[in-house]
Amino acid sequence: MKFLEDTPRFLFFTGKGGVGKTSIACAAALTLAESGKRVLLVSTDPASNVGQVFGMSIGNTITKVPAVHGLSALEIDPDQAVQAYRERIVGPVRALLPAADVRSIEEQLSGSCTTEIASFNEFTALLTDAGSITGKFDHVLFDTAPTGHTIRLLQLPGAWTDFLNQGKGDASCLGPLAGLEKQRAVYAGAVAALADSARTRLVLVTRAQESALAEITRTHRELAALGLTRQHVIINAVLPAPPDDTDPLATAIHLREQAAIAALPAELSNLPLDQVELKATNLVGVDALAALFTTKEPAWQTALAVPPESFTDTSLADLIDELATQDNGLIMCMGKGGVGKSTIAAAIAVALVRRGHQVHLTTTDPAGQLSATLGGDLENLQVSSIDPAEATRSYRDHVLATKGARLDEQGRAMLAEDLLSPCTEEVAVFQAFSRVISQSRRAFVVVDTAPTGHTLLLLDATGSYHRDVARNLGENMHLTTPLMRLQDPRDTKVILVTLAETTPVLEAVELQADLERAQIHPWAWVVNNSLAAAAPTSTLLRLRANQELPQIDQVRSQHCTRLAVVPMFPTEPVGIVALEALSRTRAALTR
């Protein structure tokens, strides 16, 4: 594997949920330890299953892995990190401020910015420590690396702290940013270490899928723009060429993945690149990990190639039939990147049009390509997109032209720097999104990638942040009206889209919890691209299908009252005809 050649001290693995970062990180740690190195494997993934992989309990203290000499592991709990970070900021003022102000500060510290910064605190303690914590290890491997979003946040100028405290600024991350100043020197050292290729290697983990490759391309660009240019790429879980053509699904997936790899952007294909073959079952145990970077399967896996247990669930068509009983409304398809939100949103929009409704289909995804997904025009279907970059520019210009007009030159310069905060984009997109919501009073509006629960919580927050946002959006904008519509199930139907895999399901559960905190209650779940629902016949894909069933059962029994399972298609569902077929297809199996 190229990414393990001349291995530096620090390895960071990053990529969207469900691409196999943890498996790759665990296998890399095993490989290095077996070569005689002393290795520490660190995870801050809230869905961390490092302990499960090695068959032991790890937790938030450095723990030796008995089965592998020289390997230790550490699982940092993001929730505990956030709680400790929040308490360091709120604790000193809790007895000094009114209870309402304390609650306001706590609410400002409830979003994803706080989680990222709190986790980064844990990273920096290990990344910059040369003493007792990490000094005895030859290599430290990090599963779930800080994103470009976090690093940009930490690079904001230090002087804005007093500026904000004096009430002159409008920070989208007012709460999280309030605690950064004391850590600034440590953060600078950590960012320098990340950018030093002699010390650190960034490994971008992805799948051979167009959406996953597009996302990793964005990550590459974002990190490269920050000076973190020495990156490696791993395309994980690539389906090997089927031994014969007896399973059309296996043949089609293989051809589709090879086409995606062949179409890699030059900026990725020019990086050191490794491909890792798809394995038949979950990677649990040292033997399975040892085989990950080879082309062989452990012999015992072939004995598990039994037909997957049968099941039946509501089809996507059933959900659409229920939606179509109304004449209008807002339908938001939400979920993490790479789960197929755009496809599901487009299929719902086309099906509603076919049922005689006026539909506006829009996206807030910067990589969204709804027109390409549709592949043509359809009467009574309007298609648009909310460009986050354009929305953010407009928002910044508005704030500078209004509030900035009352500031001196230094104040305007610092306000402009503050508005470079990446969380500004979330507020700006919500402003544009709010204008779209109003159309759902007279037609269906289907939204691909709606604002996150984090954004909604910020907009619903009390105290100074909420007042600042309300003022910046304009005196004539009724800020609470869009949020109230999102909270009303008669007006809004939120559909969570996921895959039948551990990490995507957990991320969808966390998103649902965020929405519930904002008093927005998801209406249905869609498990997309299910192998189990497609009833494959090849041994490898049947084994993979078996792995999906516990995840589907968990979603069905614990997290939703409406569930549609959409099978994986041999070809990408692109074009109006294919989208119609997707919306009608039921799972191939019955329970």
Side-chain angles (χ1 to χ4, degrees), residues 163 167-170 398-413 415 467-468 470-472 475:
F163 179 64
K168 297 180 180 178
D170 292 280
H398 173 74
V399 174
L400 288 170
T402 54
K403 187 156 194 179
R406 302 191 296 271
L407 300 175
D408 57 23
E409 183 176 351
Q410 181 184 10
R412 278 183 59 83
L415 177 59
R467 290 192 295 272
D468 285 343
R471 181 170 59 254
N472 290 338
E475 296 179 358

Side-chain angles (χ1 to χ4, degrees), residues 460-473:
D460 195 34
T462 58
S464 61
Y465 179 85
H466 179 77
R467 290 192 295 272
D468 285 343
V469 172
R471 181 170 59 254
N472 290 338
L473 290 180

Side-chain angles (χ1 to χ4, degrees), residues 356-438:
H357 295 284
Q358 293 277 343
V359 180
H360 180 181
L361 174 63
T362 189
T363 181
T364 61
D365 186 345
Q369 297 181 344
L370 288 177
S371 296
T373 301
L374 288 165
D377 298 327
L378 190 62
E379 189 177 358
N380 295 326
L381 176 62
Q382 177 187 356
V383 181
S384 69
S385 65
I386 297 171
D387 184 342
E390 179 57 37
T392 303
R393 281 194 296 271
S394 177
Y395 175 78
R396 287 173 178 154
D397 290 345
H398 173 74
V399 174
L400 288 170
T402 54
K403 187 156 194 179
R406 302 191 296 271
L407 300 175
D408 57 23
E409 183 176 351
Q410 181 184 10
R412 278 183 59 83
M414 299 189 71
L415 177 59
E417 292 283 6
D418 169 47
L419 289 170
L420 293 176
S421 162
C423 291
T424 299
E425 181 177 296
E426 293 191 17
V427 178
V429 169
F430 189 89
Q431 179 181 3
F433 172 70
S434 298
R435 292 192 288 268
V436 175
I437 291 178
S438 62

Side-chain angles (χ1 to χ4, degrees), residues 60-248:
N60 60 356
T61 58
I62 295 177
T63 304
K64 290 184 178 180
V65 178
V68 184
H69 178 71
L71 177 61
S72 298
L74 170 66
E75 291 180 330
I76 297 171
D77 186 335
D79 291 335
Q80 291 181 7
V82 169
Q83 184 177 356
Y85 178 83
R86 186 184 297 123
E87 186 59 27
R88 285 198 297 271
I89 296 174
V90 179
V93 301
R94 185 172 280 113
L96 304 175
L97 298 177
D101 290 344
V102 173
R103 286 194 299 271
S104 174
I105 297 172
E106 290 176 337
E107 186 62 47
Q108 292 165 13
L109 292 167
S110 66
S112 59
C113 287
T114 302
T115 301
E116 290 193 26
I117 294 171
S119 295
F120 197 87
N121 279 346
E122 305 295 334
F123 277 120
T124 56
L126 298 171
L127 195 61
T128 60
D129 175 74
S132 59
I133 299 178
T134 62
K136 62 182 179 181
F137 295 101
D138 299 307
H139 301 288
V140 183
L141 279 60
F142 295 91
D143 173 25
T144 307
T147 65
H149 172 284
T150 308
I151 297 170
R152 287 203 314 277
L153 202 63
L154 299 172
Q155 288 182 323
L156 288 176
W160 50 251
T161 301
D162 292 337
F163 179 64
L164 291 176
N165 290 340
Q166 295 167 12
K168 297 180 180 178
D170 292 280
S172 300
C173 291
L174 179 63
L177 291 174
L180 294 184
E181 182 61 31
K182 293 180 181 179
Q183 289 286 101
R184 189 158 301 279
V186 177
Y187 290 153
V191 172
L194 286 172
D196 184 354
S197 61
R199 286 186 284 170
T200 302
R201 179 166 296 164
L202 293 170
V203 182
L204 312 179
V205 185
T206 186
R207 291 276 185 95
Q209 302 163 350
E210 288 187 7
S211 59
L213 292 170
E215 182 160 330
I216 212 71
T217 301
R218 292 198 300 272
T219 301
H220 161 71
R221 291 170 180 167
E222 190 171 52
L223 293 172
L226 296 167
L228 283 63
T229 57
R230 306 302 289 270
Q231 305 170 20
H232 285 238
V233 175
I234 295 178
I235 303 179
N236 188 33
V238 178
L239 182 67
D244 52 51
D245 295 331
T246 57
D247 187 347

